[in-house]
Structures are given as C-alpha cells and as structure tokens.
Amino acid sequence: MAIRIDLPVDAKVIRKLRVGDEVRLYGNVITARDMAHKYMVEERPDWLRPLLENNVIYHCGPVMKRTGKKWSAVAAGPTTSAREEPYQGTVISEYKVRAVIGKGGMGPKTLKALKKEGAVYLHAVGGLATVLAEAIKEVEAVHKLEEFGVPEAFWVFRVEDFPAIVSMDSHGKSLHAAIRKDSLEAAEKLIHG
Amino acid sequence: MAVNLADAFLELIRRASTDLPPDVCAAIEKARRREAAGSPARSVFGQIQENIKLAREKSTPICQDTGTNIYNINLPIDMPHAIVEKAILTATKRAVKKSYLRPNAVDSVTGANSGDNTGVGQPQIHFHQWKKKHMEVSLMLKGGGCENVGRQYALPNAELGAGRDLEGVRRAVIDAIQKAQGLGCAPGCLGIGIGGDRGSCFLLSKEQFLRPLDDVNPDPILRKLENRLQKELNQLGIGPMGFGGRTTVLSTKIGKMHRLPASFFVSVSYMCWAFRKARMTVRGEKVTHGY
C-alpha cells in the first residue's frame, strides 16, 4: 500500500520512510537539472528558498506545451540523477529540501546529506513520461525559462497521486549501493571465473 | 515530386516518438513474464507497458528525452541530399511545436538551447546512395541517459584480464553493463562493435540498432557470443531501472569490421528500454510508414 505524502512535508514524516516504501505525492514539486543545480550552488539565490523549503526537487526536463498563456506538461519522466551528485548534498542542506525525485539513484555525498537533514531520494521509473505527465495537474509557475531553455528551467508542478519508490532513505540505506555491490560480485565471477 | 516530404518526415517523427515497435514490445512482455509475481521488477514492467499504451493513445512522447534523432537514409542516385535534409529540418521544427520532440539542441560553449531541436550536427543524418528507385528512411531517437553509459575499450585491458580476442570482448561488455547499472534505463538493448578506429567502431555499434531484436546473426561465431552474453548479463541481477531482477538486457547484437594491426577497439552502445525507431519508404508518390 502506497504512503500518501502531502507537500510541503516535515522532516519527521520523512524520517519514517524506509527503502522499498512506495509513495504517492500530492502538492508542488519543482524541477531542477544540470544548469539549475550549478546555479543553486554557485549563486545561492534567495528567491528559491520559499519554493524549496520542506519541498521536493524533481530531476526532470519535460516536454511542455503552451496554449495561449497557459503551459501544460506533455511528457515529464525523470532524468538521470547521478549528474547532480556533486551539487545535491549542498542543495539539500542549503534549501532544506525534503525529497529528490529522479532515476538511477545517487552517491555517498547525497546519502550523507539525506541522513543529516532528514530527506529521501525517490525513484520514479525512467521513460514513464506520459504516465507521469498525467499526474501533473497544473503548471503553477516557471522560472529562468528564457535563460535556461525548456528542459533546464525551474518548472513548478502541482501533482496528484505521483508514484515513486524510496530507494535511498534518511537512515543511511541505499538500494543502489546494494545492487551495485551484488552485481559487481556477479561480474567478477563471470569475468575471472 | 508531388509528395510532401516534410509531412512524411513529420509523421515518421510522430510515430518514432510516441510508439514502440512490435519487436521491442514483445521483448518487454517476455521480460515481464520472467520476473517473479509481486516483485518490484514485475511492477516496473507493468508501469512501462501502461506508459506505452497511454503514449500511443494520446500521441505524446514515450519519454520526455526525445534524444538524438539519428537518420539512416538509403537514397536513389537522382535524389539530391539537400532536398531531403531541408524536409527533415522543416519537419523537426514542426515536431517541436507539436510537442512530439523536446527542444534538445544545446550550444556546447554558450549553453544556449536553439529552441527548435536543430543545430550543428543535430539532427544526425547518414546518407547512403543505392541503386534502387525508392528512398528508405530509418529514424531512431536515442536518449542522453543511455548514451552516457556507453563505453569504449582499447584491448588489451590489464584490469579485466581482457586480451585481443573474443574472450576479451566478452569481459569488456560485462564490465560495461555492470558499470551502467540502471542508469541507462535498464533493461537495455546492446549494440556492440568490434574493430575499426575509435569513430567507426562506435558507429558500427550503433548500426546494430538497425537490426530487428529477434533477428539471427549470420556470423555463427558472433551469434554464439551474442547468445552467451545475453545469458550472462542477465545474471548480473541489475534488473529494470536497477531495482534488481532477472532482466538486465533485452538484446545483444554484435558487428565486426577490420582493424589496424595495432588497434583492437570494442564499443558498447546502450539503448534504453524505450527503444524508439520507425521506418519510412518513399516510392514515387507513395509514402509507407512502418517500423
């Protein structure tokens, strides 16, 4: 049974989540990928603080559609999170982010920040662009669109029933680290006998 | 020519971006059945199938990363490249407006997005002239996540104990897929090239993606290696999206070319499960779309 998470969310609620838990998100998430993470760490903009505190970052570069002045998300699955590994821990601490949604998992620096701050990494299924776009009910705002372009802009999405799985929790556990270790052992056996 | 080429290319792009071909769907269904009932892996495959169905119904992109658009075109001798290229560029810009494609072309120095998915080297078009009277076009969309996990090895490789032979190739491929984990949106389809120089070897690995997933390699030695690798890679336990499971790769295809005595390259190209490809034939005024 999936756990409903309403946003913004307290660290207390997040601390209860464990690797393997299925969640459904309700509320606002904000997209941020490569340019956005570099910008957040290098410039530490204050205008983002109210948007990010106790909220969720989504690693996503969507396909968007504009009808008149209104934007809608056409395709919006997760992008590879590993590219943000150099920045993510700092961003989580600086902006009090409670969850990061992406795909492929992240490394030890992020895992440490999740534990310290009370945050989780949520894995969405890569390539699920149409299904996940259906969970985006409203485009609340967009920032840095001109400067960063459509895939890299900060899009504020109001989501309902957005599905993801906790793959790194705030207790130091990572599904990705476990799979990496097991698959390395299997590979070594296949390679060296 | 009376046929509107730009319209024909737009339809080709729409089909490639919003639908998956039957051979890929069959491989995904086969993989789903292999996973244990109630496992996260089986649930991931279920969600993948739901997404394919919905994208097809709504005519929206399977994945928001509509990738590098790679065209392979067989062209009759009397058909100028320039006309075809112009039609592709027009169709690409229209496809962005229709949300079939994401504006995906970024200036590597300034970081500016061109806004219409065209730019230097984008889309990527490979023309081959042939003696037939009709034009045959193949388009694949290759996303960035899976492109990033591709690897090239110059054998020998001491760390892997990989020499300049097929056993060395086998070891390199296992290493590449273990390192890829779920990051390329596993389970992947693999294109492997052996030989050439660095550039041609990578191209050869990508040409393997033009083969249907269920074809049989006419070279018995390569066929044997493909079958062995397919079985062994699925013992890595990485599974769909790296959640763990019995299917880490959907297909393994290998091609070879001549090399210099001094070089022995192995290139591994990884295509995500959302293997988007479509074909089109233009014969006189008749346009046929397929996979």
Side-chain angles (χ1 to χ4, degrees):
Chain A
M1 182 68 186
I3 301 162
R4 179 184 169 124
I5 303 281
D6 288 287
L7 305 169
V9 64
D10 268 7
K12 247 195 302 185
V13 175
I14 293 295
R15 290 274 184 207
K16 287 185 191 151
L17 296 174
R18 302 278 171 173
V19 163
D21 284 346
E22 279 185 47
V23 299
R24 294 284 187 276
L25 303 177
Y26 292 78
N28 285 359
V29 303
I30 182 162
T31 67
R33 47 181 291 163
D34 310 80
M35 283 184 189
H37 278 78
K38 188 167 183 284
Y39 166 73
M40 286 189 279
V41 168
E42 288 177 2
E43 299 189 27
R44 314 263 165 140
D46 284 327
W47 65 266
L48 267 167
R49 291 182 196 282
L51 288 171
L52 289 179
E53 196 173 330
N54 292 326
N55 269 316
V56 175
I57 282 179
Y58 182 18
H59 295 156
C60 170
V63 174
M64 302 297 294
K65 190 175 179 177
R66 191 176 201 165
T67 318
K69 282 192 173 172
K70 211 169 146 54
W71 286 99
S72 58
V74 177
T79 190
T80 308
S81 301
R83 293 192 306 270
E84 317 317 336
E85 178 64 12
Y87 310 106
Q88 200 67 72
T90 309
V91 168
I92 288 168
S93 298
E94 177 81 24
Y95 291 100
K96 304 291 168 224
V97 175
R98 291 291 157 235
V100 174
I101 315 167
K103 76 173 173 80
M106 304 193 73
K109 221 175 129 191
T110 301
L111 192 62
K112 211 171 132 192
L114 297 177
K115 192 172 175 182
K116 180 166 172 266
E117 303 295 341
V120 287
Y121 178 83
L122 301 174
H123 202 298
V125 174
L128 231 58
T130 292
V131 162
L132 294 176
E134 290 278 293
I136 297 167
K137 299 302 174 191
E138 194 82 47
V139 178
E140 301 276 355
V142 59
H143 304 277
K144 294 272 171 189
L145 178 59
E146 286 294 310
E147 201 177 325
F148 289 178
V150 168
E152 301 272 348
F154 293 96
W155 293 95
V156 184
F157 292 150
R158 185 172 62 76
V159 301
E160 278 177 21
D161 205 25
F162 187 100
I165 291 176
V166 179
S167 63
M168 296 164 70
D169 63 23
S170 62
H171 307 282
K173 205 172 164 207
S174 163
L175 171 68
H176 310 287
I179 298 275
R180 189 176 292 274
K181 185 172 162 285
D182 292 350
S183 64
L184 186 62
E185 280 168 19
E188 277 175 355
K189 224 168 105 190
L190 288 168
I191 290 174
H192 300 295
Chain B
M1 189 182 278
V3 57
N4 186 326
L5 263 190
D7 284 352
F9 274 107
L10 180 64
E11 174 60 9
L12 179 73
I13 294 168
R14 187 193 69 79
R15 293 172 70 104
S17 178
T18 66
D19 201 357
L20 288 192
D23 60 338
V24 178
C25 290
I28 289 171
E29 171 58 14
K30 208 172 135 195
R32 188 186 69 85
R33 286 162 183 259
R34 233 183 349 245
E35 300 292 349
S39 64
R42 189 143 173 159
S43 145
V44 168
F45 280 122
Q47 292 181 59
I48 282 172
Q49 288 176 325
E50 188 195 338
N51 188 64
I52 296 168
K53 185 168 169 274
L54 196 63
R56 184 182 294 142
E57 281 167 16
K58 294 177 57 125
S59 214
T60 54
I62 298 261
C63 177
Q64 75 289 338
D65 185 356
T66 53
T68 303
N69 299 180
I70 306 172
Y71 290 88
N72 273 285
I73 302 177
N74 292 321
L75 212 58
I77 289 161
D78 58 357
M79 180 89 154
H81 291 192
I83 288 178
V84 178
E85 198 172 326
K86 196 176 160 209
I88 292 176
L89 290 179
T90 304
T92 300
K93 291 172 188 175
R94 279 166 62 193
V96 170
K97 286 202 177 117
K98 287 184 165 286
S99 306
Y100 300 147
L101 294 176
R102 186 172 73 178
N104 241 7
V106 177
D107 184 302
S108 294
V109 173
T110 65
N113 191 315
S114 74
D116 62 11
N117 201 37
T118 70
V120 181
Q122 295 248 43
Q124 199 181 105
I125 310 170
H126 304 275
F127 285 112
H128 317 274
Q129 222 154 33
W130 68 356
K131 285 182 177 167
K132 296 180 185 175
K133 296 263 186 253
H134 67 280
M135 173 169 75
E136 202 171 87
V137 182
S138 146
L139 166 63
M140 65 179 114
L141 311 185
K142 189 165 191 307
C146 64
E147 184 65 7
N148 288 346
V149 299
R151 265 171 206 275
Q152 188 172 66
Y153 298 81
L155 300 185
N157 178 307
E159 196 191 323
L160 298 171
R164 309 174 116 210
D165 50 27
L166 287 186
E167 173 57 17
V169 173
R170 187 186 72 90
R171 292 181 181 207
V173 174
I174 291 170
D175 182 65
I177 301 313
Q178 192 281 326
K179 289 202 166 91
Q181 292 290 299
L183 267 61
C185 282
C189 296
L190 305 186
I192 297 158
I194 308 173
D197 68 1
R198 286 189 185 274
S200 62
C201 188
F202 255 130
L203 266 186
L204 176 66
S205 71
K206 289 198 177 149
E207 279 168 14
Q208 304 312 306
F209 294 137
L210 297 171
R211 293 167 52 189
L213 292 194
D214 50 4
D215 79 341
V216 172
N217 197 321
D219 181 322
I221 298 172
L222 294 181
R223 178 164 73 225
K224 207 171 142 201
L225 184 59
E226 287 176 353
N227 292 340
R228 181 173 176 192
L229 272 170
Q230 173 75 10
K231 207 172 122 208
E232 291 185 341
L233 293 169
N234 283 334
Q235 290 167 18
L236 292 176
I238 293 165
M241 296 317 295
F243 282 5
R246 293 171 189 160
T247 306
T248 296
V249 296
L250 291 174
S251 66
T252 308
K253 306 281 178 200
I254 307 174
K256 65 170 183 179
M257 69 196 331
H258 283 78
R259 59 180 176 85
L260 297 184
S263 302
F264 196 118
F265 292 111
V266 180
S267 298
V268 182
S269 284
Y270 195 109
M271 179 67 88
C272 58
W273 66 257
F275 189 167
R276 288 152 289 167
K277 55 178 179 177
R279 280 178 195 273
M280 172 172 88
T281 306
V282 181
R283 200 184 296 270
E285 292 187 12
K286 192 166 180 279
V287 180
T288 318
H289 286 98
Y291 297 101

